C-alpha cells in the first residue's frame, strides 16, 4: 500500500528529510560498489591499511576484560580517553582535559552531536565552498542556512568570510565548519596565516569553529601545520575519526572541545547511541598502546602517496587541455574543473557507460554551484586501475568538449 490511511507517507515524514540530498549520497555510495566500473567516486580507506594482524592478536586478550561486552560510559572508556589524550598532546602540543574529550561512533556522529547541541531551525552556519557533503546533509536536516565561502589554493578565503560577517545584519553565524587539512573534496589545505586569522575571527564574532580532521594524519610530505584546535581550544571543536587510521568497521571518532560544549554533547549522545561500542574502544586502546597505531599511520601515508602520484601522472597525461586538477599533499582526493562541461551530474551516465565513476561537484555545495567540477578518489582503487579509470574519464570529457566546440 502506498498510503497510510487518509494520509500519504510524504505527509508524515519530517521536513528535515524531505530533500533529496540523502538520496544523492546513497547513489554515490552505491556507485562505488559497482564491480563493472572503476570507482573513482568513493573515498574509502583501502583494506590493505587495516590492522588485521594486530586486531587478531588483541582480540582474545581484550575479550578477557569484563567491560568488553558491556555498555561503556557515554564519554568513552577511561583507558582509551587517557591514551588518546596523551597521543593528541604529542601530536598537537595540547592535551585535552578529561572534561574536554568525548569518544564518538565515528566522525559523522560527531557532526550530528554538534548539530543537535548547537543549532536551531533557521540558524546560520558557514561552510567551505565546496565542502564535505555529509556535513551539508547534517545541516540540512537541522533546517539551518548553510552559506558557502569560496576556497583557493590556501584554503578557505578568510578575508571573504570577514567581509561577509562585517556586512551582515542580524545574528552572526553560530559556527564555521572547515576541513583545513587535505580537504574533502578538493585535497587543499589551509595556510598557517589563515588558520590564525580564522581563530581570531571566531573570537571576535563569538563563533565556534568545527574543525574536521578526518585526513589530518595522512600527509605525504612531512609538513604538519598547527591544528585550529591547538591554536584556539577555547573556540574550536576538533571532530575526528579513526576510520582512516584504524578501521571504519569499528565506528569510532572523537571530539575535543571546551568542557561546556562536551557536557552538552554527552547529553545528546545519551539520546543517540548512548555510547560507542566497548569492544572497539578496548581494541583501539590496546592497538594504540602497543605503538602500532603510529606505525600504521606511517604505512598508510606511504601507501596513499603512491596512489596519489599515479593519479597525478594520469591526469597530467590524459586530461584534455584547459581542464584543471588539484595536487593534494595528503588525504584521498583530487578536484577537477571542467570548463566545457556545465553539468557533471548529467555526464555521470556517459561516464558509467564508459566504465568509470566520480562524484559531481554540485553534491559539495550548499547552493547551485559546482556544475563544472567533480571529485576523484584514489584511495581504494587498485593501482593498475587508476590510470585506466582516468583515461576512460578523459575520453568522456574530451567528447563533451568537442561537442560544445562544434556548436
Amino acid at each position: 500500500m502506498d498510503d497510510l490511511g487518509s494520509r500519504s507517507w510524504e505527509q508524515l515524514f519530517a521536513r528535515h528529510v524531505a530533500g533529496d540530498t540523502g538520496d544523492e549520497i546513497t547513489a554515490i555510495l552505491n556507485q562505488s560498489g559497482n564491480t563493472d566500473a572503476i570507482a573513482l567516486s568513493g573515498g574509502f580507506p583501502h583494506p590493505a591499511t587495516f590492522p588485521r594482524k594486530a586486531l587478531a592478536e588483541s582480540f582474545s586478550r581484550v575479550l578477557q576484560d569484563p567491560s568488553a561486552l558491556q555498555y561503556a560510559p557515554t564519554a568513552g572508556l577511561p583507558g582509551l580517553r587517557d591514551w588518546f589524550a596523551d597521543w593528541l598532546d604529542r601530536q598537537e602540543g595540547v592535551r585535552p582535559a578529561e572534561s574536554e574529550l568525548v569518544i564518538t561512533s565515528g566522525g559523522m556522529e560527531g557532526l550530528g552531536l554538534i548539530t543537535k547541541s548547537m543549532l536551531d531551525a533557521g540558524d546560520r552556519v558557514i561552510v567551505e565552498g565546496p565542502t564535505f557533503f555529509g556535513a551539508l546533509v547534517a545541516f540540512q536536516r537541522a533546517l539551518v542556512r548553510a552559506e558557502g565561502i569560496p576556497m583557493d589554493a590556501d584554503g578557505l578565503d578568510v578575508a571573504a568570510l570577514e567581509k561577509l560577517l562585517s556586512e551582515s545584519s542580524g545574528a552572526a553565524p553560530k559556527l564555521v565548519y572547515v576541513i583545513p587539512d587535505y580537504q574533502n573534496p578538493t585535497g587543499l589545505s589551509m595556510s598557517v596565516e589563515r588558520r590564525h586569522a580564522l581563530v581570531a575571527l571566531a573570537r571576535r564574532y563569538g563563533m565556534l569553529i568545527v574543525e574536521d580532521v578526518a585526513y589530518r594524519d595522512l600527509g605525504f610530505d612531512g609538513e604538519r601545520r598547527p591544528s585550529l584546535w591547538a591554536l584556539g581550544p577555547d573556540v574550536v571543536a576538533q571532530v575526528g575519526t579513526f576510520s582512516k587510521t584504524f578501521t571504519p568497521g569499528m565506528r569510532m571518532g572523537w571530539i575535543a572541545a571546551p568542557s561546556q560544549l562536551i557536557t552538552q554533547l554527552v547529553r545528546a549522545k545519551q539520546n543517540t547511541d548512548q555510547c560507542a561500542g566497548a569492544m572497539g574502544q578496548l581494541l583501539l586502546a590496546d592497538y594504540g598502546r602497543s605503538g602500532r597505531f603510529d606505525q600504521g599511520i606511517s604505512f598508510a601515508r606511504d601507501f596513499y602517496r603512491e596512489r596519489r602520484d599515479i593519479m597525478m601522472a594520469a591526469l597530467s597525461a590524459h586530461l584534455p587541455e584547459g581542464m584543471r586538477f588539484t595536487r593534494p599533499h595528503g588525504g584521498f582526493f583530487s578536484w577537477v574543473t571542467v570548463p566545457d562541461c556545465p553539468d557533471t551530474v548529467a555526464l555521470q551516465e556517459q561516464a558509467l557507460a564508459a566504465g568509470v565513476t566520480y562524484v559531481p561537484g554540485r553534491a559539495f555545495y550548499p547552493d547551485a554551484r559546482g556544475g563544472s567540477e567533480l571529485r576523484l578518489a584514489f584511495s581504494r582503487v587498485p593501482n593498475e586501475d587508476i590510470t585506466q579509470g582516468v583515461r576512460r574519464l578523459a575520453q568522456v570529457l574530451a567528447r563533451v568538449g568537442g561537442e560544445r566546440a562544434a556548436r
Side-chain angles (χ1 to χ4, degrees):
M1 296 178 62
D2 293 333
D3 292 339
L4 187 69
S6 61
R7 290 188 290 183
S8 68
W9 283 103
E10 286 70 21
Q11 290 175 302
L12 297 179
F13 291 150
R15 283 188 297 150
H16 64 256
V17 297
D20 61 359
T21 308
D23 293 338
E24 184 173 327
I25 292 172
T26 300
I28 290 167
L29 297 176
N30 287 342
Q31 274 191 356
S32 298
N34 187 329
T35 58
D36 296 326
I38 296 175
L40 301 181
S41 49
F44 297 93
H46 196 283
T49 66
F50 301 161
R52 288 186 174 87
K53 183 177 179 181
L55 287 173
E57 294 173 359
S58 294
F59 190 80
S60 59
R61 180 169 57 251
V62 164
L63 196 57
Q64 302 306 310
D65 190 314
S67 64
L69 302 179
Q70 186 55 274
Y71 291 114
T74 302
L77 289 171
L80 174 60
R81 294 168 70 205
D82 182 65
W83 163 74
F84 189 62
D86 286 342
W87 189 87
L88 281 176
D89 190 18
R90 292 194 302 274
Q91 301 299 317
E92 308 290 1
V94 180
R95 190 185 197 279
E98 182 179 354
S99 63
E100 296 173 336
L101 181 66
V102 59
I103 301 299
T104 65
S105 297
M108 278 300 299
E109 194 212 13
L111 290 174
L113 292 175
I114 289 175
T115 299
K116 290 175 184 291
S117 299
M118 292 194 60
L119 299 176
D120 294 312
D123 282 343
R124 297 170 64 199
V125 300
I126 298 296
V127 300
E128 296 160 316
T131 191
F132 172 45
F133 52 65
L136 293 177
V137 172
F139 298 144
Q140 172 191 306
R141 292 183 174 176
L143 302 179
V144 304
R145 294 183 294 148
E147 302 173 41
I149 299 297
M151 297 179 64
D152 59 25
D154 289 324
L156 179 76
D157 187 342
V158 179
L161 173 58
E162 183 173 14
K163 184 174 186 294
L164 173 70
L165 295 173
S166 66
E167 295 176 353
S168 295
S169 58
K174 282 187 175 179
L175 63 83
V176 181
Y177 170 76
V178 293
I179 311 171
D181 300 287
Y182 323 121
Q183 196 235 21
N184 179 3
T186 65
L188 299 171
S189 294
M190 187 183 296
S191 69
V192 174
E193 180 182 5
R194 288 189 183 179
R195 292 173 192 239
H196 284 279
L198 182 59
V199 169
L201 205 58
R203 287 175 174 148
R204 188 192 315 170
Y205 285 93
M207 301 180 298
L208 177 74
I209 300 171
V210 178
E211 177 189 36
D212 188 335
V213 293
Y215 306 93
R216 177 166 171 77
D217 297 304
L218 298 179
F220 301 149
D221 56 11
E223 180 185 17
R224 190 176 179 90
R225 299 174 184 179
S227 70
L228 293 167
W229 174 69
L231 294 175
D234 55 319
V235 291
V236 178
Q238 185 182 91
V239 178
T241 175
F242 294 106
S243 293
K244 282 75 177 177
T245 54
F246 185 46
T247 168
M250 298 178 189
R251 304 298 300 139
M252 280 188 295
W254 76 90
I255 303 174
S259 59
Q260 299 94 325
L261 176 57
I262 293 293
T263 297
Q264 294 300 321
L265 298 178
V266 171
R267 288 174 179 167
K269 187 169 175 60
Q270 289 166 353
N271 292 307
T272 55
D273 67 348
Q274 185 174 318
C275 61
M279 176 65 78
Q281 292 189 57
L282 288 170
L283 287 169
L284 175 56
D286 190 73
Y287 180 59
R289 293 187 186 282
S290 73
R292 288 182 286 188
F293 182 71
D294 295 284
Q295 294 172 14
I297 291 174
S298 180
F299 171 80
R301 287 171 180 158
D302 293 338
F303 183 88
Y304 293 124
R305 182 192 298 113
E306 179 183 7
R307 286 159 178 265
R308 185 277 312 269
D309 290 344
I310 293 172
M311 177 167 278
M312 295 300 100
L315 290 170
S316 296
H318 299 294
L319 274 190
E321 185 177 353
M323 297 184 186
R324 303 186 302 276
F325 61 91
T326 59
R327 179 181 176 84
H329 294 281
F332 289 178
F333 309 107
S334 180
W335 187 244
V336 179
T337 302
V338 190
D340 289 329
C341 180
D343 188 0
T344 54
V345 175
L347 194 64
Q348 280 183 293
E349 290 188 10
Q350 294 184 44
L352 188 58
V356 64
T357 67
Y358 61 84
V359 185
R362 285 181 179 166
F364 301 97
Y365 287 93
D367 46 40
R369 288 179 290 165
S372 62
E373 297 167 319
L374 59 90
R375 189 194 76 178
L376 300 179
F378 50 80
S379 54
R380 196 176 68 169
V381 182
N383 282 5
E384 59 272 17
D385 286 347
I386 294 175
T387 299
Q388 178 63 18
V390 169
R391 185 182 294 115
R392 292 177 182 178
L393 177 61
Q395 291 171 349
V396 173
L397 296 177
R399 287 199 301 270
V400 171
E403 291 169 0
R404 289 183 61 81
R407 291 176 186 172

